[in-house]
Amino acid sequence: MRRTDEIVAYRADAALVGDEVVENVGLDIRSDGSIAAVRPNAGAGERIAGLVVPGLANVHSHAFQRAMAGLAERAGPEGDNFWRWREVMYRFLAVLTPDDVQAIAAQLYLECLQHGYTAVAEFHYLHNAPDGAAYTDPAELSRRVAAAAAQAGMGLTLLPVLYRQGGFGGQPPVPGQRRFLLTPDRYAALVQTMASDVAVGIAPHSLRAVTPDDLQSAIALADSLGSDTPIHIHIAEQTAEVADCLAWSGARPVQWLLDHAAVDRRWCLIHATHIDNTERARMAASGAIAGLCQTTEANLGDGIFPLRPYLAEGGRFGVGSDSNVSTSPIEELRWLEYVRRLESRARNVTETRQGASVATSLLTRAARGGAQALGRHAGEIAPGRRADLVVLNTEHPALAGRRGTALLDAWVFSGNSTPVRDVMVDGRWVLRDGLHAQSPAIGAAFARTMRRLADAL
Ligand code: NGQ
Ligand code: ZN
């Protein structure tokens, strides 16, 4: 049993506290994984060399897709698009075994830690065997994801997904979707089973994949688990989805959701790419998190989320690796800014207070928003928060000679090799000096799976 009254005192060269980089900071970490105290002018304590920043929560991941990165990058017939990518994805997962799922997720989570993510919301919809039958243990694949997170030392909020139909208005699922399907009863049983082991949230896949009744039952299930249970949903990612929703209901997806559910700070709306001004303002006012997955949205040709006006309206966001074509939160943040620069032909656009650091602003917002979306009391270096911490090597070529928030400007906007040297999740070091104790085992299992898949596909 971990005792709450044991404290380890650290002395960091520097730490990001609020929006400021403060030098010589004392960090007291309780053995229950929480931060007991943050003190300027640290005295004694074990030295942490470098800059300590809050770890980022990855608000949206489909772990298995890490193993298909690069497999859908050949030109298709005219009008190649998201929906053809999805067919490739369905074919890919037809051959995936429980061992594969665990091996891929462990490798993914390890890479994510190495780039500065400290927790993940795993949007997990792969429940059944390839023929659609339940596994002997219906929670088999959820347990594999949880085991992978435990092996990697990644903080986890597991989001078992409810998936019921092939499209708006009760369209039957296609054969490629049978691994996803659960009845509401089986879904509730799965969520309850997993809730005894790990932090869970609720995830109706999308308005395409659940009926209004299914959505209400999922929300009721979230309520029954506690008033702060996260609820995540894919929404308005593709224009075809907006058109289909309009045809089905007369409303746009986000508008429909806001009209039919009490969307509040428990909610994370994944993508929400295609929103009009009214939807945007209502979403910002709701306190919900926009789950932005910039690199995947670019890869899939989704469209551009209206980030600048949304932020001006007080909207909150987190970043997600989604299809895992990138496992770096820095790449997400960099491209959140770059896409708007390309769009507006201007510079430093997501933060407009003169002289303010764009990187610091993006990083602190994403850390806070991500923690909120995962229902994790983290995302800031402050007393009472969980110690999910990332230590940057300030001697790394990307950061050398920089001080204060200029270190963060350099981290977000320069270079490609990661200056992340140490990572602490929930008060425990999982990466030290760039080394992870499980890395050889995780890498070997992943390589085995990738070789097997290359033969099977
Ligand atoms: C997913 N991914 O569930 O993996 C989806 C694709 C769908 C993204 N939307 C499938 N990025 O939305 O139907
Ligand atoms: Zn997704």
Side-chain angles (χ1 to χ4, degrees):
M1 240 1 234
R2 293 162 99 189
R3 294 164 48 121
T4 58
D5 49 353
E6 287 168 15
I7 286 183
V8 180
Y10 292 99
R11 181 173 54 83
D13 291 354
L16 177 61
V17 182
D19 291 345
E20 301 288 334
V21 168
V22 183
E23 293 190 3
N24 195 30
V25 177
L27 295 172
D28 291 353
I29 310 295
R30 278 201 197 91
S31 44
D32 70 353
S34 65
I35 300 174
V38 180
R39 283 176 282 100
N41 304 315
E46 186 183 326
R47 179 175 175 214
I48 303 178
L51 170 64
V52 185
V53 300
L56 283 135
N58 179 350
V59 301
H60 192 67
S61 160
H62 308 290
F64 74 86
Q65 290 174 13
R66 166 66 183 78
M68 69 166 280
L71 288 186
E73 308 298 335
R74 298 291 171 97
E78 210 187 322
D80 199 351
N81 60 21
F82 174 93
W83 307 101
R84 206 182 72 85
W85 169 85
R86 196 172 76 157
E87 283 164 25
V88 175
M89 192 261 281
Y90 287 178
R91 279 199 298 279
F92 170 79
L93 56 79
V95 300
L96 227 49
T97 67
D99 283 347
D100 295 335
V101 168
Q102 182 170 343
I104 297 164
Q107 173 68 27
L108 168 70
Y109 297 155
L110 173 62
E111 289 175 25
C112 284
L113 288 166
Q114 289 165 335
H115 288 92
Y117 286 121
T118 45
V120 62
E122 180 62 33
F123 199 101
H124 175 70
Y125 57 84
L126 203 55
H127 304 306
N128 302 321
D131 65 358
Y135 284 99
T136 312
D137 172 3
E140 173 77 40
L141 295 179
S142 290
R143 291 194 204 283
R144 296 305 193 115
V145 167
Q151 186 184 11
M154 175 63 89
L156 174 68
T157 296
L158 182 69
L159 306 171
V161 171
L162 181 63
Y163 201 109
R164 302 271 291 152
Q165 62 181 10
F168 289 100
Q171 288 174 44
V174 299
Q177 294 165 341
R178 62 191 163 207
R179 296 195 79 173
F180 318 156
L181 304 173
L182 293 176
T183 62
D185 286 350
R186 280 179 171 269
Y187 178 64
L190 172 65
V191 168
Q192 257 127 23
T193 301
M194 293 312 295
S196 60
D197 281 349
V198 295
V200 298
I202 296 298
H205 181 277
S206 55
L207 296 179
R208 287 178 272 124
V210 299
T211 67
D213 283 350
D214 296 328
L215 180 68
Q216 294 312 326
S217 76
I219 295 170
L221 181 60
D223 292 343
S224 77
L225 291 171
S227 59
D228 51 0
T229 304
I231 308 175
H232 291 219
I233 188 168
H234 288 121
I235 197 152
E237 180 179 11
Q238 283 275 316
T239 50
E241 174 183 345
V242 177
D244 289 354
C245 188
L246 275 164
W248 166 67
S249 69
R252 302 165 56 82
V254 170
Q255 179 190 4
W256 189 94
L257 182 70
L258 292 167
D259 287 345
H260 290 85
V263 172
D264 59 15
R265 62 188 315 287
R266 282 185 304 173
W267 285 73
C268 184
L269 275 47
I270 304 302
H271 309 302
T273 309
H274 301 287
I275 50 178
D276 66 19
N277 295 355
T278 309
E279 290 172 301
R280 193 189 67 222
R282 289 177 71 190
M283 208 176 129
S286 73
I289 300 298
L292 305 179
C293 308
Q294 186 68 84
T295 60
T296 294
E297 289 155 7
N299 184 277
L300 297 180
D302 288 340
I304 299 175
F305 178 84
L307 183 60
R308 297 165 70 197
Y310 177 75
L311 291 178
E313 288 160 352
R316 304 174 188 191
F317 75 92
V319 293
S321 63
D322 191 352
S323 67
N324 298 309
V325 287
S326 169
T327 54
S328 161
I330 290 311
E331 192 173 10
E332 300 303 325
L333 297 176
R334 183 181 292 179
W335 280 95
L336 275 182
E337 167 72 19
Y338 277 178
V339 165
R340 279 92 205 154
R341 289 189 191 184
L342 289 165
E343 220 182 6
S344 62
R345 303 180 202 162
R347 301 192 71 253
N348 295 316
V349 293
T350 56
E351 172 55 71
T352 50
R353 288 170 300 153
Q354 200 186 336
S357 157
V358 172
T360 306
S361 167
L362 287 172
L363 204 60
T364 53
R365 287 170 190 265
R368 281 197 298 267
Q372 177 184 319
L374 268 66
R376 214 172 153 87
H377 196 58
E380 275 182 273
I381 299 179
R385 302 270 163 180
R386 288 199 204 198
D388 289 351
L389 305 174
V390 167
V391 185
L392 303 182
N393 172 12
T394 47
E395 307 291 313
H396 186 282
L399 307 186
R402 305 281 188 245
R403 299 190 68 174
T405 51
L407 286 161
L408 302 176
D409 300 341
W411 188 28
V412 174
F413 291 109
S414 73
N416 296 102
S417 70
T418 176
V420 170
R421 197 194 44 221
D422 309 288
V423 176
M424 176 183 278
V425 175
D426 221 0
R428 292 187 2 232
W429 293 110
V430 295
L431 197 74
R432 290 236 80 173
D433 258 328
L435 298 177
H436 188 292
Q438 292 294 314
S439 170
I442 289 172
F446 179 70
R448 257 195 319 277
T449 275
M450 292 305 272
R451 282 195 296 271
R452 200 194 70 72
L453 289 175
D455 293 338
L457 283 166

